[in-house]
């Protein structure tokens, strides 16, 4: 999984868009503060959501 602080060497991902509903002081490039975090608009959602093996017989 990706480091929450951002991309390589702690840099903000180029897809990062701050969620303006949060306080401006929280705009630090962390994915959890991104407007697109864990939404279908997130370009790197697969890095956050891993594939689970489910037993269909259960």
């Amino acid at each position: 999984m990706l480091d929450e602080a951002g991309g390589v060497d702690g840099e903000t991902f180029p897809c990062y868009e701050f969620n303006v509903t949060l306080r401006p002081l929280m705009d630090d490039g962390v994915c959890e503060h991104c407007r697109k975090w864990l939404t279908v608009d997130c370009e790197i959602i697969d890095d956050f959501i891993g594939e689970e093996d489910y037993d269909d017989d259960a």
Side-chain angles (χ1 to χ4, degrees):
M1 186 179 327
L2 296 169
D3 182 56
E4 288 180 337
V8 179
D9 297 326
E11 295 176 10
T12 302
F13 284 105
C15 55
Y16 174 79
E17 291 181 22
F18 181 62
N19 184 342
V20 296
T21 62
L22 303 174
R23 294 182 314 235
L25 291 174
M26 297 180 81
D27 189 358
D28 57 3
V30 177
C31 286
E32 289 181 349
H33 299 159
C34 181
R35 183 178 62 81
K36 301 186 254 181
W37 189 59
L38 297 182
T39 69
V40 295
D41 294 326
C42 178
E43 299 166 15
I44 56 172
I45 188 96
D46 291 336
D47 292 332
F48 296 107
I49 309 292
E51 289 192 24
E52 298 289 331
D53 291 331
Y54 293 103
D55 185 7
D56 292 337
D57 296 333

